[in-house]
Amino acid sequence: MNKQLSIIALGGILLLATLSCDRPNESLLQAEQLMNEHPDSALHLLEKVPTVNLSRQQYADWCLFTTQAWDKNRIIHSSDSLINKAMEYYEKQDNPSRLMLSYYYMGRVALDLNQFSKAQEYYLKALSVGESMQDYALLGRICSNLGMLYTYGGAKNRALPYLKKAETYFRENGDSTYLSLALRDIARAYDVLGHPDSSILSLQQ
């Protein structure tokens, strides 16, 4: 009888542990909601999260969101360890939006580490995962970053198609600020390619 009670008690503990792992973490949810408008507040929340208590998925989210918050707060990335953990987790899951975001931020981190070919590789992976989705803001940023990498990285003729894709995505998203930046980057690419008239036209737009 005592043995049966012990087994039942152990089963109850395991069930509670599983339920607690599946329960959404409020700090992570709040940080994600704050990320675009108030990335400093999002980072403050993330820094207070006791990561030892997180499930594997929650920890992957924490690694991704922390990398994202650093990037949005213009903190230079000095290591790719956190984004690697997020990326490795989401490569094994059926969550394309998280995987796309992980690849994008691996590209951002690689840029800060002066690993330009790696940045290009992961931007292309992010684009491959996300092209069928309608996250126009992120798709625009990916194409914009790829275009500028090609503009100044020795593959100038590959730059304009990506920069024009970025322009299209930002128009779809109705984002006038990023659209202006995309047109500026197209002007820079035309200038590098030796087409000053087209460069001036893009700047006028």
Side-chain angles (χ1 to χ4, degrees):
M1 186 68 178
N2 287 338
K3 186 177 180 181
Q4 287 179 327
L5 286 172
S6 298
I7 292 171
I8 291 169
L10 180 60
I13 291 168
L14 290 173
L15 178 61
L16 285 172
T18 303
L19 289 173
S20 67
C21 286
D22 291 340
R23 188 182 304 141
N25 182 285
E26 292 301 322
S27 294
L28 292 178
L29 290 173
Q30 193 175 356
E32 185 177 18
Q33 290 166 359
L34 289 168
M35 190 67 70
N36 287 328
E37 297 296 327
H38 305 286
D40 53 338
S41 299
L43 182 58
H44 182 68
L45 269 175
L46 291 164
E47 288 173 340
K48 290 185 164 185
V49 173
T51 56
V52 70
N53 297 328
L54 299 178
S55 67
R56 286 185 63 216
Q57 179 179 336
Q58 289 168 347
Y59 184 63
D61 280 346
W62 181 85
C63 290
L64 175 58
F65 295 162
T66 300
T67 303
Q68 186 179 16
W70 283 342
D71 197 69
K72 286 183 174 292
N73 282 287
R74 303 190 181 192
I75 298 170
I76 300 297
H77 303 285
S78 58
S79 168
D80 63 2
S81 60
L82 285 188
I83 193 60
N84 249 322
K85 288 182 173 68
M87 187 183 70
E88 286 172 1
Y89 177 81
Y90 283 110
E91 283 180 329
K92 298 172 185 174
Q93 309 301 315
D94 183 20
N95 193 333
S97 61
R98 283 279 195 270
L99 182 59
M100 177 190 181
L101 201 60
S102 297
Y103 284 152
Y104 171 73
Y105 279 106
M106 177 59 82
R108 294 288 300 153
V109 171
L111 269 186
D112 278 355
L113 298 176
N114 296 317
Q115 298 170 344
F116 302 115
S117 60
K118 185 175 180 179
Q120 175 188 311
E121 174 190 352
Y122 281 97
Y123 287 145
L124 288 170
K125 283 188 173 187
L127 194 59
S128 176
V129 171
E131 273 186 317
S132 61
M133 296 188 282
Q134 294 184 329
D135 190 346
Y136 298 129
L138 183 54
L139 286 166
R141 293 201 299 275
I142 292 166
C143 289
S144 179
N145 288 352
L146 268 171
M148 294 316 293
L149 273 173
Y150 287 133
T151 298
Y152 296 110
K156 295 179 288 187
N157 291 328
R158 299 181 67 182
L160 274 172
Y162 286 104
L163 293 174
K164 288 182 176 180
K165 268 189 177 183
E167 178 192 353
T168 299
Y169 284 131
F170 292 137
R171 286 190 190 279
E172 289 283 350
N173 198 48
D175 191 326
S176 58
T177 300
Y178 273 104
L179 176 59
S180 295
L181 294 174
L183 290 167
R184 178 205 63 188
D185 292 341
I186 289 171
R188 287 176 175 174
Y190 274 127
D191 189 55
V192 169
L193 288 166
H195 301 296
D197 292 344
S198 297
S199 179
I200 290 167
L201 182 60
S202 290
L203 287 174
Q204 287 173 340
Q205 290 183 62

